[in-house]
PDB file of all heavy atoms in Angstrom:
ATOM      1  N   ALA A 747     -25.426  48.982  17.447  1.00 96.00           N
ATOM      2  CA  ALA A 747     -24.133  49.655  17.602  1.00 96.00           C
ATOM      3  C   ALA A 747     -22.990  48.768  17.122  1.00 96.00           C
ATOM      4  O   ALA A 747     -22.049  49.220  16.462  1.00 96.00           O
ATOM      5  CB  ALA A 747     -23.928  50.046  19.063  1.00 96.00           C
ATOM      6  N   VAL A 748     -23.076  47.475  17.432  1.00 96.00           N
ATOM      7  CA  VAL A 748     -22.035  46.547  16.978  1.00 96.00           C
ATOM      8  C   VAL A 748     -22.062  46.424  15.462  1.00 96.00           C
ATOM      9  O   VAL A 748     -21.011  46.442  14.797  1.00 96.00           O
ATOM     10  CB  VAL A 748     -22.230  45.172  17.646  1.00 96.00           C
ATOM     11  CG1 VAL A 748     -21.270  44.145  17.034  1.00 96.00           C
ATOM     12  CG2 VAL A 748     -22.013  45.269  19.149  1.00 96.00           C
ATOM     13  N   SER A 749     -23.262  46.307  14.880  1.00 96.00           N
ATOM     14  CA  SER A 749     -23.382  46.198  13.427  1.00 96.00           C
ATOM     15  C   SER A 749     -22.820  47.428  12.736  1.00 96.00           C
ATOM     16  O   SER A 749     -22.152  47.329  11.700  1.00 96.00           O
ATOM     17  CB  SER A 749     -24.844  45.990  13.028  1.00 96.00           C
ATOM     18  OG  SER A 749     -25.351  44.779  13.542  1.00 96.00           O
ATOM     19  N   SER A 750     -23.097  48.601  13.300  1.00 96.00           N
ATOM     20  CA  SER A 750     -22.598  49.845  12.716  1.00 96.00           C
ATOM     21  C   SER A 750     -21.072  49.890  12.739  1.00 96.00           C
ATOM     22  O   SER A 750     -20.443  50.301  11.756  1.00 96.00           O
ATOM     23  CB  SER A 750     -23.175  51.034  13.476  1.00 96.00           C
ATOM     24  OG  SER A 750     -22.644  52.250  12.984  1.00 96.00           O
ATOM     25  N   ALA A 751     -20.489  49.451  13.845  1.00 97.00           N
ATOM     26  CA  ALA A 751     -19.027  49.448  13.940  1.00 97.00           C
ATOM     27  C   ALA A 751     -18.417  48.468  12.938  1.00 97.00           C
ATOM     28  O   ALA A 751     -17.414  48.773  12.285  1.00 97.00           O
ATOM     29  CB  ALA A 751     -18.600  49.097  15.361  1.00 97.00           C
ATOM     30  N   LEU A 752     -19.020  47.295  12.785  1.00 97.00           N
ATOM     31  CA  LEU A 752     -18.494  46.310  11.850  1.00 97.00           C
ATOM     32  C   LEU A 752     -18.606  46.775  10.409  1.00 97.00           C
ATOM     33  O   LEU A 752     -17.784  46.419   9.557  1.00 97.00           O
ATOM     34  CB  LEU A 752     -19.227  44.978  12.017  1.00 97.00           C
ATOM     35  CG  LEU A 752     -18.888  44.161  13.276  1.00 97.00           C
ATOM     36  CD1 LEU A 752     -19.834  42.979  13.422  1.00 97.00           C
ATOM     37  CD2 LEU A 752     -17.442  43.673  13.217  1.00 97.00           C
ATOM     38  N   ALA A 753     -19.629  47.570  10.134  1.00 96.00           N
ATOM     39  CA  ALA A 753     -19.844  48.040   8.759  1.00 96.00           C
ATOM     40  C   ALA A 753     -18.933  49.207   8.390  1.00 96.00           C
ATOM     41  O   ALA A 753     -18.780  49.516   7.205  1.00 96.00           O
ATOM     42  CB  ALA A 753     -21.302  48.435   8.570  1.00 96.00           C
ATOM     43  N   ALA A 754     -18.333  49.856   9.388  1.00 97.00           N
ATOM     44  CA  ALA A 754     -17.508  51.034   9.122  1.00 97.00           C
ATOM     45  C   ALA A 754     -16.234  50.638   8.369  1.00 97.00           C
ATOM     46  O   ALA A 754     -15.555  49.672   8.737  1.00 97.00           O
ATOM     47  CB  ALA A 754     -17.156  51.729  10.431  1.00 97.00           C
ATOM     48  N   SER A 755     -15.914  51.380   7.332  1.00 96.00           N
ATOM     49  CA  SER A 755     -14.734  51.062   6.512  1.00 96.00           C
ATOM     50  C   SER A 755     -13.428  51.377   7.222  1.00 96.00           C
ATOM     51  O   SER A 755     -12.368  50.893   6.811  1.00 96.00           O
ATOM     52  CB  SER A 755     -14.803  51.841   5.192  1.00 96.00           C
ATOM     53  OG  SER A 755     -14.823  53.236   5.441  1.00 96.00           O
ATOM     54  N   ILE A 757     -12.773  50.619  10.373  1.00 97.00           N
ATOM     55  CA  ILE A 757     -12.664  49.750  11.538  1.00 97.00           C
ATOM     56  C   ILE A 757     -12.245  48.353  11.085  1.00 97.00           C
ATOM     57  O   ILE A 757     -12.811  47.808  10.141  1.00 97.00           O
ATOM     58  CB  ILE A 757     -14.004  49.670  12.310  1.00 97.00           C
ATOM     59  CG1 ILE A 757     -14.355  51.035  12.912  1.00 97.00           C
ATOM     60  CG2 ILE A 757     -13.935  48.610  13.409  1.00 97.00           C
ATOM     61  CD1 ILE A 757     -13.350  51.552  13.925  1.00 97.00           C
ATOM     62  N   ALA A 759     -11.524  45.763  13.643  1.00 98.00           N
ATOM     63  CA  ALA A 759     -11.900  44.793  14.670  1.00 98.00           C
ATOM     64  C   ALA A 759     -12.788  45.489  15.687  1.00 98.00           C
ATOM     65  O   ALA A 759     -12.750  46.720  15.829  1.00 98.00           O
ATOM     66  CB  ALA A 759     -10.665  44.215  15.349  1.00 98.00           C
ATOM     67  N   VAL A 760     -13.583  44.702  16.396  1.00 98.00           N
ATOM     68  CA  VAL A 760     -14.512  45.250  17.382  1.00 98.00           C
ATOM     69  C   VAL A 760     -14.357  44.492  18.688  1.00 98.00           C
ATOM     70  O   VAL A 760     -14.323  43.248  18.703  1.00 98.00           O
ATOM     71  CB  VAL A 760     -15.977  45.161  16.892  1.00 98.00           C
ATOM     72  CG1 VAL A 760     -16.936  45.611  17.976  1.00 98.00           C
ATOM     73  CG2 VAL A 760     -16.173  46.001  15.633  1.00 98.00           C
ATOM     74  N   ALA A 782     -25.666  39.968  14.991  1.00 94.00           N
ATOM     75  CA  ALA A 782     -24.964  41.134  14.461  1.00 94.00           C
ATOM     76  C   ALA A 782     -23.608  40.759  13.870  1.00 94.00           C
ATOM     77  O   ALA A 782     -23.166  41.352  12.880  1.00 94.00           O
ATOM     78  CB  ALA A 782     -24.780  42.185  15.561  1.00 94.00           C
ATOM     79  N   VAL A 783     -22.924  39.787  14.449  1.00 94.00           N
ATOM     80  CA  VAL A 783     -21.554  39.463  14.006  1.00 94.00           C
ATOM     81  C   VAL A 783     -21.536  38.314  13.013  1.00 94.00           C
ATOM     82  O   VAL A 783     -20.492  38.046  12.420  1.00 94.00           O
ATOM     83  CB  VAL A 783     -20.656  39.121  15.218  1.00 94.00           C
ATOM     84  CG1 VAL A 783     -20.675  40.247  16.237  1.00 94.00           C
ATOM     85  CG2 VAL A 783     -21.077  37.815  15.871  1.00 94.00           C
ATOM     86  N   ARG A 784     -22.644  37.620  12.828  1.00 92.00           N
ATOM     87  CA  ARG A 784     -22.647  36.442  11.956  1.00 92.00           C
ATOM     88  C   ARG A 784     -22.239  36.815  10.534  1.00 92.00           C
ATOM     89  O   ARG A 784     -22.771  37.742   9.945  1.00 92.00           O
ATOM     90  CB  ARG A 784     -24.025  35.788  11.951  1.00 92.00           C
ATOM     91  CG  ARG A 784     -24.059  34.467  11.167  1.00 92.00           C
ATOM     92  CD  ARG A 784     -25.390  33.753  11.322  1.00 92.00           C
ATOM     93  NE  ARG A 784     -25.598  33.333  12.697  1.00 92.00           N
ATOM     94  CZ  ARG A 784     -26.555  33.808  13.484  1.00 92.00           C
ATOM     95  NH1 ARG A 784     -27.406  34.713  13.021  1.00 92.00           N
ATOM     96  NH2 ARG A 784     -26.675  33.371  14.720  1.00 92.00           N
ATOM     97  N   SER A 786     -19.459  38.111   9.575  1.00 94.00           N
ATOM     98  CA  SER A 786     -18.511  39.224   9.485  1.00 94.00           C
ATOM     99  C   SER A 786     -17.109  38.704   9.194  1.00 94.00           C
ATOM    100  O   SER A 786     -16.709  37.643   9.681  1.00 94.00           O
ATOM    101  CB  SER A 786     -18.499  40.019  10.796  1.00 94.00           C
ATOM    102  OG  SER A 786     -17.470  40.994  10.779  1.00 94.00           O
ATOM    103  N   ASP A 787     -16.364  39.445   8.386  1.00 96.00           N
ATOM    104  CA  ASP A 787     -14.972  39.079   8.112  1.00 96.00           C
ATOM    105  C   ASP A 787     -14.008  39.857   8.994  1.00 96.00           C
ATOM    106  O   ASP A 787     -12.799  39.872   8.753  1.00 96.00           O
ATOM    107  CB  ASP A 787     -14.642  39.305   6.639  1.00 96.00           C
ATOM    108  CG  ASP A 787     -14.847  40.751   6.209  1.00 96.00           C
ATOM    109  OD1 ASP A 787     -15.324  41.571   7.034  1.00 96.00           O
ATOM    110  OD2 ASP A 787     -14.544  41.067   5.039  1.00 96.00           O
ATOM    111  N   LYS A 788     -14.552  40.496  10.055  1.00 97.00           N
ATOM    112  CA  LYS A 788     -13.731  41.217  11.012  1.00 97.00           C
ATOM    113  C   LYS A 788     -13.815  40.517  12.363  1.00 97.00           C
ATOM    114  O   LYS A 788     -14.885  40.037  12.750  1.00 97.00           O
ATOM    115  CB  LYS A 788     -14.208  42.666  11.140  1.00 97.00           C
ATOM    116  CG  LYS A 788     -14.117  43.461   9.845  1.00 97.00           C
ATOM    117  CD  LYS A 788     -14.670  44.868  10.014  1.00 97.00           C
ATOM    118  CE  LYS A 788     -14.608  45.648   8.692  1.00 97.00           C
ATOM    119  NZ  LYS A 788     -15.151  47.020   8.818  1.00 97.00           N
ATOM    120  N   PRO A 789     -12.708  40.446  13.086  1.00 98.00           N
ATOM    121  CA  PRO A 789     -12.746  39.758  14.376  1.00 98.00           C
ATOM    122  C   PRO A 789     -13.555  40.532  15.411  1.00 98.00           C
ATOM    123  O   PRO A 789     -13.500  41.764  15.467  1.00 98.00           O
ATOM    124  CB  PRO A 789     -11.271  39.673  14.775  1.00 98.00           C
ATOM    125  CG  PRO A 789     -10.607  40.789  14.040  1.00 98.00           C
ATOM    126  CD  PRO A 789     -11.355  40.950  12.753  1.00 98.00           C
ATOM    127  N   VAL A 790     -14.302  39.787  16.214  1.00 97.00           N
ATOM    128  CA  VAL A 790     -15.089  40.358  17.305  1.00 97.00           C
ATOM    129  C   VAL A 790     -14.689  39.652  18.589  1.00 97.00           C
ATOM    130  O   VAL A 790     -14.720  38.412  18.666  1.00 97.00           O
ATOM    131  CB  VAL A 790     -16.593  40.201  17.050  1.00 97.00           C
ATOM    132  CG1 VAL A 790     -17.385  40.762  18.230  1.00 97.00           C
ATOM    133  CG2 VAL A 790     -17.007  40.890  15.749  1.00 97.00           C
TER     134      VAL A 790
END
Side-chain angles (χ1 to χ4, degrees):
V748 172
S749 297
S750 176
L752 287 171
S755 60
I757 294 298
V760 175
V783 305
R784 186 173 295 115
S786 173
D787 59 356
K788 298 177 182 179
V790 178

